[in-house]
Amino acid sequence: MRIPTACSAAVLAAALVVVGAPAGSAVAYDDSRSVIAGTRAGKQDVRFATYNASLNRAAPGDLVRDLSTPANTQARAIAEVIQINRPDVVLLNEFDYVAGGRAADLFSQNYLRVGQNGKAPIDYPYVYTAPSNTGVPSGFDLNNDGRVGGADDALGFGAFEGQYGMVVYSRYPIRTEAVRTFQDFLWKDMPGALLPDNPATEAADDWYSTDELAALPLSSKSHWDVPVEVGGRTVHVLASHPTPPVFDGQEDRNGRRNSDEIRFWSDYVTGGPGASYIYDDDGGTGGLNRGERFVVMGDQNSDPLDGDSRAGSIGQLLGNKLVQDPLPSSNGAVEASALQGGANAKHRSDPRFDTADFEDRDAGNIRADYVLPSRTLKVAAAGVFWPRAGSPGAELTGIFPFPTSDHRLVFVDVTLSGGRLR
């Protein structure tokens, strides 16, 4: 997430959905066509999606209040986007964590299971959510401003515990007993960690004290390995939301943390000796076994060429030989980039692949959100829900202030054997 400051009044959107695209290619079809891929010859296409829904609130209890009735305008629009795209497994970023899954249950009950503007309801029998490092007091002056306390001194940026959390909804069973979380993994325990340096001293990598490093986790929210059972086969949903690589100084503490949060998944899926340093919150060690099916999902806050993340950050995943990038795209993003201008005119990345509509003056639109399947999975389709001006759904993306979020839903369909849940 980036805090928008100014957006062109001409920002409008357009959805191009990619269907039948092999990994590494993008073939568009007309926006009026259904985004639902069908069952083919006993095979099934399982849709994985990520969506930074901006369902975060300013104070604890606010999200539960807003979701306790079916009348919240933003939540209704978010639910409609999900009902249009109908993912089988969806990760929502920036969804405040509430103990006991209360907020997650309310969103399902009052919004997803209720048809929005004539759309078919959608039911997710399986839900996973867990605590986040956001808003957890560290007890230290992590931003070195001479004061202890507040959102910037929390283990992950947040005004209260659980702000900007995340939740996974699934139409297929989640193996909850096999979920691995990495909320407590310490940043310093990653070999070669990009620990920030205090430019005012001669010592190296000393922005954080020894005591601070003994308490500071790598994950600004958490990293989750959520195994989902599809037709007797396990697909590991690897969910995270690395910190935005901004809101810091010359030390680049957020940019460095963002990069290492992304690297974590690359090491994890590679497994073997290179992942032996990894430990989960239950004491288990190591990464995935060779040949495991996985999908890395989430707002990674990193574009391959543009934006403020460190060079090569998202490339750690995109360049991993076990990961494939189906290049989800949209015509709406191309239109928005041209209409908004500003920083977009200087971007190097192809605007077709943008997933976030940030302020135009300094940031521009970037590719921030990813669904990256393992090469053990066959990609059948991919797309970004960003409708073109005047086409159905454009009112759900809109212009700043956005009716839903400054991010767009991104999906990838992979083909597996077994029955189809539709």
Side-chain angles (χ1 to χ4, degrees), residues 216-302:
L216 184 63
L218 168 66
S219 186
S220 53
K221 285 84 177 174
S222 190
H223 284 65
W224 301 339
D225 176 348
V226 181
V228 175
E229 284 293 319
V230 182
R233 300 183 179 185
T234 298
V235 179
H236 294 264
V237 173
L238 306 182
S240 62
H241 182 190
T243 190
V246 288
F247 312 123
D248 52 18
Q250 185 179 346
E251 83 291 344
D252 193 27
R253 67 186 189 279
N254 290 331
R256 289 168 175 267
R257 190 178 189 182
N258 169 273
S259 186
D260 278 349
E261 288 195 70
I262 294 170
R263 175 193 154 190
F264 179 89
W265 282 139
S266 183
D267 290 349
Y268 187 78
V269 302
T270 301
S276 61
Y277 72 88
I278 293 174
Y279 54 85
D280 62 37
D281 296 333
D282 290 326
T285 59
L288 288 181
N289 294 324
R290 180 69 66 175
E292 295 273 15
R293 303 173 187 86
F294 63 81
V295 182
V296 180
M297 304 203 300
D299 174 4
Q300 303 297 320
N301 273 309
S302 181

Side-chain angles (χ1 to χ4, degrees), residues 17-21 29 33-40 43-48 84-88 171-172 378-383 411-416 420-422:
V17 180
V18 179
V19 170
Y29 74 90
R33 289 181 58 181
S34 168
V35 299
I36 302 303
T39 303
R40 303 185 306 278
K43 302 288 185 177
Q44 66 183 59
D45 293 331
V46 181
R47 176 160 292 178
F48 292 89
I84 290 170
N85 289 276
R86 308 194 73 76
D88 295 299
R171 304 186 75 184
Y172 296 100
K378 180 181 179 182
V379 171
F411 74 83
V412 171
D413 292 349
V414 300
T415 302
L416 293 169
R420 179 74 171 153
L421 285 179
R422 281 288 179 204

Side-chain angles (χ1 to χ4, degrees), residues 1 3 52 54-63 92-99 103 129-137 150-152 154-167 183 219-222 224 241 244:
M1 170 185 169
I3 300 173
N52 182 328
S54 295
L55 282 169
N56 56 282
R57 296 297 184 259
D62 283 0
L63 185 59
L92 299 185
N93 290 130
E94 294 199 9
F95 189 103
D96 293 344
Y97 171 75
V98 178
T129 189
S132 171
N133 284 322
T134 47
V136 177
D152 214 21
L155 295 181
F157 184 89
F160 59 89
E161 293 190 26
Q163 189 180 33
Y164 309 115
M166 53 189 185
V167 59
Q183 182 186 7
S219 186
S220 53
K221 285 84 177 174
S222 190
W224 301 339
H241 182 190

Side-chain angles (χ1 to χ4, degrees), residues 146-388:
R147 301 185 300 272
V148 175
D152 214 21
D153 285 335
L155 295 181
F157 184 89
F160 59 89
E161 293 190 26
Q163 189 180 33
Y164 309 115
M166 53 189 185
V167 59
V168 173
Y169 291 96
S170 177
R171 304 186 75 184
Y172 296 100
I174 293 173
R175 294 177 52 203
T176 53
E177 80 287 350
V179 170
R180 299 181 72 188
T181 64
F182 303 90
Q183 182 186 7
D184 298 332
F185 177 84
L186 296 178
W187 190 1
K188 71 177 182 65
D189 290 340
M190 172 178 274
L194 298 175
L195 299 175
D197 178 67
N198 188 340
T201 70
E202 294 184 0
D205 305 336
D206 63 339
W207 179 267
Y208 298 117
S209 69
T210 300
D211 288 343
E212 289 170 344
L213 289 175
L216 184 63
L218 168 66
S219 186
S220 53
K221 285 84 177 174
S222 190
H223 284 65
W224 301 339
D225 176 348
V226 181
V228 175
E229 284 293 319
V230 182
R233 300 183 179 185
T234 298
V235 179
H236 294 264
V237 173
L238 306 182
S240 62
H241 182 190
T243 190
V246 288
F247 312 123
D248 52 18
Q250 185 179 346
E251 83 291 344
D252 193 27
R253 67 186 189 279
N254 290 331
R256 289 168 175 267
R257 190 178 189 182
N258 169 273
S259 186
D260 278 349
E261 288 195 70
I262 294 170
R263 175 193 154 190
F264 179 89
W265 282 139
S266 183
D267 290 349
Y268 187 78
V269 302
T270 301
S276 61
Y277 72 88
I278 293 174
Y279 54 85
D280 62 37
D281 296 333
D282 290 326
T285 59
L288 288 181
N289 294 324
R290 180 69 66 175
E292 295 273 15
R293 303 173 187 86
F294 63 81
V295 182
V296 180
M297 304 203 300
D299 174 4
Q300 303 297 320
N301 273 309
S302 181
D303 184 280
L305 298 174
D306 302 316
D308 298 302
S309 65
R310 292 175 63 86
S313 291
I314 193 61
Q316 296 171 109
L317 272 174
L318 299 182
N320 188 307
K321 65 182 181 180
L322 301 177
V323 176
Q324 57 179 318
D325 181 8
L327 294 171
S329 65
S330 74
N331 288 334
V334 177
E335 179 184 56
S337 177
L339 290 174
Q340 292 172 11
N344 293 295
K346 299 179 180 178
H347 280 183
R348 294 174 292 164
S349 289
D350 191 325
R352 289 182 299 159
F353 308 126
D354 289 346
T355 68
D357 190 347
F358 293 151
E359 58 88 15
D360 307 324
R361 186 179 60 247
D362 299 317
N365 307 338
I366 65 169
R367 185 183 185 191
D369 309 87
Y370 296 83
V371 179
L372 302 173
S374 60
R375 291 195 177 274
T376 53
L377 293 169
K378 180 181 179 182
V379 171
V384 178
F385 183 73
W386 198 328
R388 294 190 303 252

